Amino acid sequence: MTTASPTAAAALPQPLVRRLLAHAVAGGAGTVAIHAPATGQFLVDLPQSSPADLDRAFAVARQAQRDWAEVPVRERVSILRRFHDLVLAEQSAVLDLVQRESGKSRVHAFDEVGDVAVNARYYAARAERLLTPRTPRGVLPLLTRVEVRYRPKGVVAVISPWNYPLALAASDALPALVAGNAVIARPDNQTALWAIDVARRAGLPEGLWQAVLGRGAAIGGEVVARADHVDYTGSTATGRIIARQAGERLIGCSLELGGKNPMLVLADADPRAAARIAVRACFASAGQLCESIERIYVHDAVHDRFVAEFTEATRALTLGSALDYSYEIGSLTFPRQLDTVTAHVGDAVAKGATVLAGGRARPDLGPYFYEPTVLTGVRPGMTAYREETFGPVVSIYRVSSDDEAVEQANDTPYGLNASVCGRDVAHARAVAARVRAGSVNVNEGFLAAWGSVAAPSGGLGDSGTGRRHGPEGLLGYVDTQTIAVQRAVPIAPLPGMSQALWAKTMTAYFGVMKALRQQ
């Protein structure tokens, strides 16, 4: 592995810190010192929120939301368009911030800018149509007029993780806001505050998008207890807790959770092309990505050539911490991630697995760097076989048929993302349809499905419930209200008509409607 020369991540400028913290309701629970993962250097003392801070934030949000719900959708949309333009125009500032706070490379930080831009553009283009009241057929055509309206949930809690601090904070908040809700964000760092600051400058009224700061263990439950809907991205264990709490309150929740995502390299795949796809799919953001590939099943026919190409490409990756595009892979973000990666690789090797590339920490580069790692010989009984590593580690398995590959890919309680590589696209799509995952990419790792924001994204099984992106990602933030108006005659026997004749008449009507193929 080669390395790029690092650039020190200095403390954040105080004017920027003061501007961003103006959008956080925090300070009642002290401060926490934040350090740059790539260098260990101090960045900022981040104030933490107390229950009293949460009460204040939600009270302001509820008042702001009542007014916001009366604003025409086209005016809300215009703010999304300005937000889109500002994010792209000011991307250099937020890329620096994302890199400093997460340790990821700039190219992977840019993925977050792109994600926010395409989500803002999509919902700006589609929100007005999706939220326009519709008029389905009534029970008695011409006599029954039905209107379905969409009402915002109220105050939506967006609990976003540390690994994609801009994308997962902003891209979930945008559809909630354009649907007429207020948003209380519970992010892990200041990048979400930057997005709120941009939204305010784009014209979003004050109080509609605020942040409360603190670890999930400290305030997560308090946030859920006050919200009208919860959007959470993170671990399956925490997702179960939030689902129970939301269920007890009878509020909705959307949960994108963990994954142990597979890639299937079919017999007709181009080994070199598949290897390039796999490198991006496995090691984006140093593997700290819910959609990241951690298992690769390779057909006998191309196994040896794929492994050679993939191993060589992995070894050639550059590591660094500069605030530029001079390298490909950045740092892990927290000590616990480094500990998990080290433990998984160590356990596998101790039980007979072989390291083909990487396999070691790089403290010479920074406190949490770990080389992109390729393992073979991983078997049941090894931690890395079933548990999500959430780091730059992937295991390769040889298979002899599509059926074997699909069976092993589906042998997991998770079902978030998957990938299938093959020259015959029709065949690869057929194989993809057999894989149990919310998204399956053909000849791509994750960006084809993830970046296609007009289509829903989410998990099956232990990977969660609910969907972001697409119409589903907007309509999940509203309740439907049906208003039905009956005209001329009631839905009841006419004067002088017996109940028996009424039933006979309606039976005949139902038969006619079926014959006419009417709903």
Side-chain angles (χ1 to χ4, degrees):
M1 309 262 171
T2 57
T3 60
S5 58
T7 296
L12 297 175
Q14 283 305 303
L16 173 64
V17 171
R18 286 193 294 270
R19 194 179 89 215
L20 299 187
L21 288 180
H23 306 295
V25 185
T31 62
V32 170
I34 304 298
H35 295 81
T39 64
Q41 291 184 310
F42 171 80
L43 289 178
V44 66
D45 282 318
L46 208 56
Q48 303 292 282
S49 300
S50 65
D53 290 327
L54 268 61
D55 287 338
R56 184 157 50 96
F58 274 89
V60 169
R62 293 196 185 283
Q63 180 58 53
Q65 189 273 328
R66 283 191 285 270
D67 297 334
W68 179 241
E70 301 302 320
V71 173
V73 177
R74 66 171 56 91
E75 292 184 27
R76 302 180 208 155
V77 160
S78 67
I79 294 172
L80 257 64
R81 291 197 176 101
R82 290 193 292 272
F83 178 84
H84 168 278
D85 294 345
L86 284 170
V87 167
L88 292 180
E90 301 180 12
Q91 64 181 275
S92 180
V94 76
L95 290 174
D96 287 352
L97 192 59
V98 169
Q99 284 194 270
R100 282 184 165 118
E101 292 193 334
S102 71
K104 67 177 62 182
S105 68
R106 202 168 189 84
V107 67
H108 297 140
F110 180 76
D111 288 345
E112 301 203 43
V113 170
D115 179 81
V116 172
V118 296
N119 273 279
R121 188 182 71 227
Y122 172 76
Y123 287 114
R126 294 299 306 275
E128 192 166 6
R129 175 188 288 184
L130 290 171
L131 295 172
T132 296
R134 58 187 179 90
T135 54
R137 184 190 301 275
V139 60
L140 296 177
L142 303 179
L143 299 179
T144 309
R145 183 182 185 280
V146 176
E147 181 182 47
V148 177
R149 303 183 66 86
Y150 300 99
R151 301 169 61 93
K153 296 280 188 180
V155 180
V156 173
V158 175
I159 303 176
S160 57
W162 47 267
N163 59 320
Y164 274 71
L166 175 64
L168 296 177
S171 293
D172 288 338
L174 296 178
L177 289 165
V178 81
N181 299 284
V183 170
I184 296 294
R186 204 291 298 172
D188 261 13
N189 49 39
Q190 288 194 113
T191 304
L193 301 180
W194 183 88
I196 297 173
D197 183 71
V198 172
R200 288 284 291 117
R201 289 188 280 122
L204 188 72
E206 187 173 356
L208 275 175
W209 191 3
Q210 305 169 76
V212 293
L213 304 177
R215 297 301 179 199
I219 67 168
E222 296 283 352
V223 171
V224 176
R226 291 163 171 78
D228 300 311
H229 184 87
V230 180
D231 187 292
Y232 170 76
T233 304
S235 73
T236 299
T238 301
R240 293 184 192 279
I241 295 171
I242 290 174
R244 284 195 294 269
Q245 190 176 359
E248 289 172 358
R249 296 192 55 230
L250 297 179
I251 63 171
C253 63
S254 177
L255 310 170
E256 189 193 271
L257 310 176
K260 190 72 175 176
N261 305 309
M263 172 180 280
L264 286 64
V265 181
L266 305 182
D268 70 337
D270 177 338
R272 177 172 293 182
R276 289 197 299 268
I277 293 167
V279 166
R280 295 193 301 270
C282 298
F283 304 128
S285 290
Q288 297 173 127
L289 169 64
C290 295
E291 312 272 339
S292 182
I293 296 297
E294 294 195 7
R295 302 177 287 147
I296 304 179
Y297 299 98
V298 189
H299 195 280
D300 271 329
V302 292
H303 178 274
D304 293 348
R305 286 178 291 160
F306 171 84
V307 170
E309 293 281 357
F310 181 55
T311 302
E312 180 181 358
T314 300
R315 289 172 177 161
L317 291 169
T318 56
L319 286 73
S321 59
L323 301 181
D324 57 33
Y325 290 98
S326 62
Y327 63 97
E328 296 155 297
I329 306 296
S331 168
L332 294 169
T333 304
F334 292 113
R336 66 176 180 268
Q337 297 310 120
L338 179 62
D339 292 344
T340 297
V341 170
T342 303
H344 282 203
V345 174
D347 173 76
V349 171
K351 294 175 180 176
T354 300
V355 175
L356 300 181
R360 61 189 181 125
R362 292 295 300 275
D364 55 311
L365 297 177
Y368 311 134
F369 277 88
Y370 198 95
E371 291 182 342
T373 299
V374 180
L375 300 176
T376 188
V378 175
R379 303 185 307 276
M382 299 178 183
T383 309
Y385 184 78
R386 280 200 172 274
E387 291 188 19
E388 182 181 30
T389 303
F390 213 66
V393 179
V394 61
S395 305
I396 299 179
Y397 304 87
R398 184 191 295 266
V399 295
S400 59
S401 67
D402 293 346
D403 290 344
E404 184 182 1
V406 170
E407 181 181 5
Q408 293 197 36
N410 289 341
D411 184 22
T412 175
Y414 295 111
L416 184 58
N417 180 56
S419 172
V420 178
C421 293
R423 282 192 176 97
D424 183 340
V425 173
H427 176 66
R429 288 179 63 186
V431 173
R434 299 170 59 194
V435 177
R436 183 177 174 271
S439 297
V440 186
N441 298 261
V442 173
N443 293 327
E444 233 300 322
F446 62 88
L447 278 175
W450 177 263
S452 300
V453 296
S457 175
L460 308 176
D462 283 2
S463 290
T465 183
R467 293 294 182 265
R468 57 163 55 97
H469 298 169
E472 295 87 344
L474 176 66
L475 298 179
Y477 293 118
V478 295
D479 291 318
T480 57
Q481 180 187 48
T482 297
I483 299 174
V485 177
Q486 187 64 23
R487 293 179 286 198
V489 296
I491 305 176
L494 296 173
M497 177 183 284
S498 69
Q499 297 286 355
L501 180 58
W502 164 256
K504 185 177 181 180
T505 301
M506 292 306 295
T507 299
Y509 166 72
F510 295 149
V512 168
M513 294 297 283
K514 178 190 175 186
L516 295 174
R517 297 184 180 276
Q518 298 297 309
Q519 58 188 13

